[in-house]
Amino acid sequence: MKILAQFMGVFNLDKCLGCNACTVACKNLWTNRDGTEYMYWNNVETRPGPGYPLEWEDQEKYRGGWILTRDGKLKLAIGGRIARLLELFHNPYLPTIDDYFEPFTFTYDNLISATQSDKQPVAEPISLVSGKKMEIRLGPNWNDDLAGGSEAILKDPNIKKLENKIKTDFENAFMMYLPRICNHCLNPACVAACPAGAMYKREEDGIVLNDQNKCRGWRFCVAACPYKKVYYNWVTGKAEKCILCYPRLETGQIPACFHECVGRIRYLGVVLYDADRVEWAASARDPKEIIDRHLEIIQNPFDENVIKNAKENGITDDFIEAAQRTPVYKMIKVWKIALPLHPEFRTLPMIWYIPPLSPLVENIRVKSDEEFFPIVDHMRIPIEYLANMFTAGDTEKIKEALKKLIGLRIYMRQKRLGKKIDERVIKETSLTEEDLEEMYKVLAIARLEDRFVIPTAHKEKALSIFEETLAPEYIQGNRGLEHTSRRDLRLRRK
């Protein structure tokens, strides 16, 4: 057993407004440079719909993530080293610019500098790639708020399996929002696919990063990521991705997209996991078992043996304390109301989602609160659709999560109205009254410090890195440079 720490997030889809405040915050902070015009490290997709890039969930098309061989071993879906070498100059599994959108601007200057004419001057769209005039066929958030329109709904890979069950007429349309960032997976395919070793996972907190100095722009990381959250900068020739705002995290600040969330749907904290069993968790024969194995390797932060092992592996007391205080652990493992996005990709993502409740398909008269549980199957968002996204098709896990969310509403309603709490609510949800009270505080009225439990980085760890890479005599003669970057120290040494 090797206990390590990992930052983990939970998004409550029942509260997402689709306002894209998170997208704007990330875009303004990280992707406002040349070559990043089409990059959205954080984006909010309207579902059902094709997503961004188009149909990214279709792994028959993109071959992302891992597959299981006949002998039970994990293998990259894009193939081994030889297969990747043969595809070095033509990778058929990469998204094209048309799958994202060709970034564009408008000839705004024409509105001012146009010569006098009988016709109204127009700002025409021009490509930011070629600089030529273009016709806009796709753009950021192109399918926003279409509510399952017939054109968008059939491009959703999760819908293709359910075409006979889902109607696209207006009265039966449904819609939900899906905010996405890099999942900073425990078993990241992007890291395994990088031949240059540029993509790596930080051991101290689990954040997946790309070393720009090592990156050679081969883009195998883009192809291997099943969530398509690695992008290629055509100006620098390097791959870029979400870094979970680690410069902010290291000083105890909240990542930009988490901080700017208007609906307060986001939670971030530290969990402890057994690194020695990651491969075992991702290698389940039945994809529906992956979630259970994933939960099994996430350890109880109050267990004395876990704490002892974590300290032996360099996990500091404040990280352990953060793991004990964060509500993320309870949401995924105690209450079991959060689920991973496409566990069948076998990357063990560390951004989990609370599935959304939805209105009923038809008007069903409910005589009492006790009848709310059977009508989970009659909700407008089909259980099978949510299962295809979050549980590899296991509808029971979706039903259990939705029952607990409904049970919480029934419990709080009865309590506020001064009614006796119906024991059926406790029995059906498998939760105690204490659990329901705490769930209400976490999901409804949690403060900023309750939703985000972030330990800061340690300066002594940074100094140890300097001491390992620089001569001892240089360190002794240059104390007081703690805030100097590693690159600057090398330059000073030269």
Side-chain angles (χ1 to χ4, degrees):
M1 182 168 67
K2 181 180 180 181
I3 303 299
L4 295 179
Q6 165 83 37
F7 275 110
M8 183 174 189
V10 171
F11 294 177
N12 185 359
L13 299 185
D14 205 34
K15 298 170 65 179
C16 183
L17 307 174
C19 65
N20 276 285
C22 51
T23 302
V24 174
C26 179
K27 188 70 176 173
N28 286 339
L29 188 60
W30 296 112
T31 57
N32 55 2
R33 297 161 281 110
D34 291 341
T36 65
E37 296 89 352
Y38 80 108
M39 293 187 196
Y40 283 85
W41 293 358
N42 180 107
N43 70 296
V44 182
E45 301 171 359
T46 298
R47 293 309 182 95
Y52 172 81
L54 296 177
E55 301 179 42
W56 62 267
E57 292 160 290
D58 187 354
Q59 300 314 319
E60 293 183 4
K61 174 181 178 181
Y62 289 122
R63 299 279 185 92
W66 301 86
I67 57 176
L68 206 61
T69 61
R70 292 182 179 180
D71 58 353
K73 301 293 184 180
L74 289 173
K75 177 183 177 182
L76 286 172
I78 61 171
R81 293 183 178 180
I82 296 177
R84 279 178 276 153
L85 181 62
L86 295 174
E87 296 164 357
L88 183 60
F89 299 105
H90 172 67
N91 191 331
Y93 308 121
L94 279 175
T96 66
I97 193 67
D98 292 331
D99 293 318
Y100 297 101
F101 66 91
E102 186 171 354
F104 56 86
T105 186
F106 295 91
T107 55
Y108 296 110
D109 184 67
N110 189 49
L111 300 176
I112 302 173
S113 60
T115 58
Q116 186 173 357
S117 172
D118 294 335
K119 297 181 180 180
Q120 179 75 21
V122 177
E124 297 180 288
I126 57 172
S127 170
L128 287 172
V129 178
S130 64
K132 299 179 180 179
K133 293 181 180 180
M134 61 175 286
E135 181 182 352
I136 301 175
R137 299 181 181 274
L138 190 67
N141 306 104
W142 192 258
N143 297 292
D144 265 11
D145 303 328
L146 289 185
S150 58
E151 181 178 349
I153 192 172
L154 297 178
K155 293 181 181 179
D156 188 328
N158 300 295
I159 290 291
K160 292 178 180 179
K161 303 175 184 178
L162 307 172
E163 285 185 20
N164 295 329
K165 294 184 178 181
I166 294 181
K167 298 180 180 179
T168 57
D169 50 318
F170 177 77
E171 60 269 21
N172 285 331
F174 67 92
M175 187 181 74
M176 56 177 281
Y177 295 111
L178 181 69
R180 296 201 303 120
I181 64 172
C182 170
N183 289 283
H184 298 279
C185 308
L186 293 183
N187 187 36
C190 60
V191 173
C194 179
M199 199 74 67
Y200 67 99
K201 185 175 179 66
R202 299 209 308 189
E203 185 172 292
E204 60 266 33
D205 53 22
I207 299 175
V208 177
L209 300 173
N210 182 39
D211 188 335
Q212 298 282 288
N213 292 323
K214 291 183 178 179
C215 181
R216 296 294 176 263
W218 285 322
R219 287 171 278 184
F220 290 120
C221 53
V222 179
C225 174
Y227 304 98
K228 293 296 172 279
K229 277 299 172 181
V230 185
Y231 302 89
Y232 177 72
N233 186 317
W234 62 75
V235 174
T236 64
K238 309 287 186 179
E240 298 187 16
K241 63 178 292 298
C242 161
I243 60 175
L244 202 61
C245 289
Y246 76 85
R248 295 171 62 92
L249 285 178
E250 289 176 352
T251 57
Q253 299 181 71
I254 304 165
C257 63
F258 285 76
H259 187 275
E260 296 303 314
C261 178
V262 176
R264 299 182 179 182
I265 77 163
R266 301 187 179 214
Y267 302 79
L268 184 70
V270 175
V271 295
L272 304 177
Y273 73 99
D274 185 356
D276 287 341
R277 303 183 73 194
V278 167
E279 183 178 359
W280 167 82
S283 302
R285 280 288 179 187
D286 187 350
K288 295 179 181 179
E289 296 178 6
I290 295 176
I291 295 178
D292 295 328
R293 291 194 180 192
H294 195 168
L295 288 171
E296 190 171 333
I297 68 172
I298 295 176
Q299 304 295 308
N300 183 352
F302 295 96
D303 187 292
E304 293 297 331
N305 293 328
V306 171
I307 295 174
K308 180 181 177 182
N309 190 289
K311 290 182 177 180
E312 290 174 355
N313 288 299
I315 307 301
T316 55
D317 289 336
D318 54 347
F319 266 73
I320 295 173
E321 181 186 352
Q324 294 172 342
R325 290 196 297 115
T326 180
V328 168
Y329 175 80
K330 287 189 175 182
M331 294 163 87
I332 65 168
K333 194 160 183 178
V334 179
W335 304 331
K336 293 186 177 180
I337 56 175
L339 299 162
L341 182 62
H342 290 294
E344 69 273 16
F345 295 164
R346 300 181 184 274
T347 60
L348 306 184
M350 295 305 282
I351 301 294
W352 286 35
Y353 295 83
I354 298 176
L357 292 171
S358 63
L360 303 180
V361 174
E362 53 189 336
N363 294 325
I364 298 177
R365 294 183 179 180
V366 180
K367 298 179 181 178
S368 61
D369 290 335
E370 294 84 349
E371 294 187 17
F372 262 70
F373 292 112
I375 65 174
V376 168
D377 292 322
H378 297 282
M379 289 187 169
R380 185 161 292 185
I381 301 179
I383 297 295
E384 293 85 356
Y385 179 77
L386 295 175
N388 284 341
M389 293 179 66
F390 301 116
T391 61
D394 188 348
T395 56
E396 290 303 315
K397 282 187 170 63
I398 294 291
K399 288 181 182 180
E400 289 302 316
L402 294 179
K403 278 184 179 181
K404 290 172 182 178
L405 296 176
I406 294 174
L408 174 62
R409 295 189 178 190
I410 296 173
Y411 172 82
M412 292 306 301
R413 186 186 303 121
Q414 291 177 342
K415 182 179 177 181
R416 290 293 174 87
L417 295 177
K419 296 182 178 180
K420 181 181 178 181
I421 304 300
D422 195 323
E423 293 183 359
R424 292 184 183 184
V425 175
I426 307 299
K427 182 179 179 180
E428 288 283 343
T429 59
S430 302
L431 298 172
T432 64
E433 288 195 39
E434 290 75 15
D435 286 330
L436 291 169
E437 290 284 351
E438 190 172 359
M439 272 180 61
Y440 169 70
K441 292 178 181 178
V442 168
L443 298 180
I445 59 174
R447 297 172 298 178
L448 199 70
E449 57 268 26
D450 298 323
R451 291 187 290 124
F452 306 114
V453 184
I454 302 172
T456 58
H458 285 253
K459 185 171 70 175
E460 63 272 15
K461 284 191 174 183
L463 289 175
S464 68
I465 294 175
F466 295 147
E467 292 172 2
E468 289 172 4
T469 55
L470 300 177
E473 62 273 12
Y474 179 82
I475 289 291
Q476 292 175 5
N478 290 274
R479 289 293 180 185
L481 298 178
E482 292 86 352
H483 299 290
T484 305
S485 71
R486 198 169 172 180
R487 176 177 176 275
D488 289 340
L489 281 173
R490 290 199 192 101
L491 292 175
R492 292 191 187 188
R493 189 181 181 188
K494 290 178 182 179

